[in-house]
């Protein structure tokens, strides 16, 4: 089995991650939509300006995430560093909408209120099933 191909497939098919942040040793997790750019190995997500997630990221850029499977157990999890992207949600609108068609409405109605973030990570744990769990280096 080509674990890198499985990683890319899962990242392309799954639409949400559980994103964990932590400030002063107090963890917080929430579900966010995402787009993964395989050519850059960057996971992108957006957030409304000024919310708790943005404040937490500004205080501590270390995050962890796991994709959320909707059937079976396939998922990817990783730890990385998050930062505000130099791109905007409008720059990646086509990619987000192709992956999550309903995101078009969010971008049209609230795009100016969204900050685009990027997570950079160099390893990930890929779970195909309960017997196939492998760590890959990107």
């Amino acid at each position: 089995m080509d674990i890198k191909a499985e990683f890319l497939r899962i990242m392309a098919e799954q639409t949400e991650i559980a994103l964990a942040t932590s400030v002063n040793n107090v963890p917080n997790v929430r579900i966010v939509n995402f787009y993964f750019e395989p050519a850059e190995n960057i996971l992108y997500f957006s957030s409304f300006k000024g919310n708790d997630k943005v404040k937490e990221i500004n205080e501590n850029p270390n995050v962890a995430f796991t994709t959320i499977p909707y059937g079976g157990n396939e998922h990817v999890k990783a730890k990385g560093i998050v930062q505000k992207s130099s791109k905007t949600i409008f720059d990646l609108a086509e990619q987000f909408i192709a992956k999550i068609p309903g995101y078009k409405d969010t971008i049209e109605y609230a795009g100016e209120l969204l900050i685009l973030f990027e997570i950079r990570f160099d390893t990930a744990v890929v779970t195909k099933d309960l017997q196939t769990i492998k760590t890959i280096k990107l």
Side-chain angles (χ1 to χ4, degrees), residues 7-133:
F7 165 80
L8 292 171
R9 182 186 59 75
I10 292 168
M11 295 300 281
E13 290 177 0
Q14 295 183 2
T15 60
E16 296 175 318
I17 58 169
L19 176 68
T21 58
S22 177
V23 175
N24 298 324
N25 293 318
V26 178
N28 197 359
V29 67
R30 73 273 291 153
I31 307 299
V32 297
N33 296 111
F34 77 96
Y35 166 71
F36 178 72
E37 175 51 62
E40 302 172 332
N41 282 329
I42 297 175
L43 183 147
Y44 292 95
F45 69 92
S46 65
S47 186
F48 285 98
K49 296 176 183 177
N51 70 13
D52 288 343
K53 184 183 340 149
V54 173
K55 293 173 188 170
E56 292 167 8
I57 288 168
N58 287 336
E59 288 189 42
N60 181 358
N62 297 294
V63 296
F65 70 87
T66 183
T67 60
I68 300 174
Y70 288 97
N73 194 37
E74 294 182 337
H75 64 280
V76 169
K77 67 180 181 176
K79 297 174 185 172
I81 304 294
V82 64
Q83 66 181 29
K84 182 180 175 190
S85 180
S86 62
K87 299 177 184 176
T88 71
I89 193 65
F90 300 108
D91 295 327
L92 294 179
E94 185 177 312
Q95 291 89 333
F96 269 90
I97 294 167
K99 185 172 187 177
I100 310 157
Y103 215 72
K104 181 178 187 212
D105 293 337
T106 301
I107 293 170
E108 286 178 0
Y109 296 114
E112 295 294 334
L113 303 174
L114 296 173
I115 300 172
L116 189 67
F117 287 95
E118 52 189 54
I119 301 175
R120 295 178 186 270
F121 55 102
D122 55 12
T123 61
V125 177
V126 180
T127 298
K128 176 77 173 136
D129 53 44
L130 295 176
Q131 291 77 38
T132 311
I133 303 169

